[in-house]
Amino acid sequence: MLAPAETDWLHHTLAISGPVDMVGKFRTTARGTNAAPWSLDLDAEEARLLAPMAREGRAARALVAELREVIATNHERMLARWHEPGTCLLDLHRLVPIPPSILQLGEDHARARVWLWENWGTTQTLRHVRLVEEAADGRRRRTRRDVLAFSSADWTPWQALRRIRRDWPDLIFTVDPRYQFTEAASGGEKKGA
């Protein structure tokens, strides 16, 4: 797997074209909370949080205990609502669901990351998904073209797009990755495509 140690967020646009009703069905199916119901090992999370400040003693343990409660509450809230329609217009877990056996491993497990890489082409959910254009397609009648913008971790989600194209044969998906980085995004080094 080629996931770098530090995440680079790559910007993309995705055009979805086809019959009006199919584009509408896709929009309904793709819309989600952008959360997957991963298992969470609260003991391991608590140990991870405590490790860098263990020397602080009782105060550190008290802070980590409070953080554990916040994490547990947020996780329970996510588990109760992850299946709702939500506001994310391109929820990969809705389109290429993570199997329960992988979710049970936890988000940071090596096999879970490999599954994400092999099935999504990226190891995290998409970020900053937004609709940038929606219009009737001028080439044909009763067609629609929506354009979404999003950021993905380290790579374009090619594997997910391959599956989405197969699952939605009446639609045309055109992705435009922006493999350009600024000096600020790369820590002062200019990178190119």
Side-chain angles (χ1 to χ4, degrees):
M1 185 166 73
L2 301 173
E6 293 184 30
T7 302
D8 278 328
W9 289 96
L10 306 178
H11 306 289
H12 300 77
T13 57
L14 175 66
I16 305 148
S17 304
V20 172
D21 63 329
M22 290 305 296
V23 172
K25 286 179 185 177
F26 178 81
R27 285 179 74 162
T28 300
T29 302
R31 183 181 211 97
T33 59
N34 207 28
W38 293 104
S39 286
L40 178 63
D41 182 344
L42 284 170
D43 292 335
E45 188 65 15
E46 184 174 347
R48 183 188 70 77
L49 291 169
L50 184 59
M53 55 183 165
R55 288 187 222 181
E56 302 302 320
R58 196 175 280 169
R61 283 190 292 281
L63 175 61
V64 168
E66 287 180 40
L67 289 172
R68 177 185 173 127
E69 288 303 313
V70 169
I71 291 167
T73 300
N74 287 340
H75 189 69
E76 288 170 16
R77 188 176 301 134
M78 182 276 300
L79 288 175
R81 302 190 72 182
W82 75 268
H83 61 282
E84 294 176 359
T87 60
C88 180
L89 301 175
L90 191 59
D91 184 336
L92 291 182
H93 184 56
R94 292 268 197 217
L95 297 164
V96 183
I98 304 166
S101 61
I102 299 298
L103 290 168
Q104 209 44 40
L105 297 172
E107 187 173 6
D108 294 328
H109 193 281
R111 283 194 0 233
R113 292 181 60 78
V114 167
W115 187 94
L116 291 169
W117 180 253
E118 290 176 349
N119 292 274
W120 284 4
T122 185
T123 56
Q124 297 186 43
T125 57
L126 303 179
R127 306 276 168 90
H128 310 293
V129 180
R130 68 187 189 288
L131 182 66
V132 293
E133 178 186 333
E134 64 178 323
D137 191 332
R139 295 175 291 172
R140 292 188 283 158
R141 298 173 65 180
R142 293 185 300 277
T143 61
R144 174 156 215 84
R145 180 174 184 268
D146 289 350
V147 180
L148 301 175
F150 64 88
S151 297
S152 65
D154 302 315
W155 304 98
T156 299
W158 293 112
Q159 300 300 347
L161 289 168
R162 182 178 295 146
R163 164 91 179 264
I164 291 165
R165 285 180 176 125
R166 187 188 77 220
D167 291 348
W168 296 86
D170 295 331
L171 298 178
I172 298 167
F173 298 90
T174 308
V175 66
D176 182 16
R178 308 287 178 173
Y179 295 122
Q180 297 174 353
F181 303 94
T182 64
E183 287 183 40
S186 65
E189 243 180 79
K190 213 170 210 177
K191 298 179 184 180

